Amino acid sequence: MDKDKLVIRKKTSLASRIRRMILLILLWVVAIYVLAINVCFIFGIYSDALVVNYSLFNLSFHLYKLLGYLIIIIGGLVALYSIIHIRNLKRKAAANDKDNA
């Protein structure tokens, strides 16, 4: 049995890779910006723009709780999708082995 035949390889398109790269860069920029705003407030650096952004990103405990639930739900959905996808791949591999036998 050739193990290379069991692995399904799909080359990602250039547009898809660029879209993912831009999304990841934007997410890191936002995360670093929020961190920088909080560090500025810790060290007592204040300006009108910092105050506005601080109040925007630090709205309330209720929103943080909602964000936490959202992260847990998305993580659960990703895990569920992964389990289903792996089972389908195993099923295809077993069918491939049966056809090749």
Side-chain angles (χ1 to χ4, degrees):
M1 175 174 83
D2 189 15
K3 291 186 179 182
D4 289 335
K5 292 182 181 178
L6 295 178
V7 177
I8 299 172
R9 290 189 172 94
K10 178 184 170 196
K11 189 166 184 164
T12 307
S13 69
L14 180 63
S16 179
R17 284 187 280 165
I18 290 173
R19 187 177 61 240
R20 288 178 189 163
M21 180 182 67
I22 291 171
L23 179 65
L24 284 173
I25 289 171
L26 287 174
L27 288 172
W28 275 109
V29 166
V30 169
I32 290 170
Y33 186 65
V34 169
L35 184 67
I37 290 171
N38 284 315
V39 168
C40 287
F41 266 79
I42 288 171
F43 290 115
I45 303 169
Y46 302 105
S47 72
D48 291 339
L50 281 176
V51 171
V52 169
N53 288 319
Y54 184 81
S55 64
L56 177 67
F57 291 122
N58 295 304
L59 290 176
S60 70
F61 178 73
H62 176 70
L63 285 176
Y64 282 123
K65 189 167 83 170
L66 185 65
L67 181 63
Y69 288 144
L70 185 64
I71 290 171
I72 290 170
I73 289 169
I74 290 173
L77 289 174
V78 167
L80 183 66
Y81 173 78
S82 300
I83 290 169
I84 291 170
H85 188 67
I86 289 173
R87 285 185 181 172
N88 286 336
L89 288 176
K90 286 181 180 179
R91 192 175 304 128
K92 286 180 184 179
N96 190 13
D97 285 344
K98 186 184 266 187
D99 292 340
N100 289 335

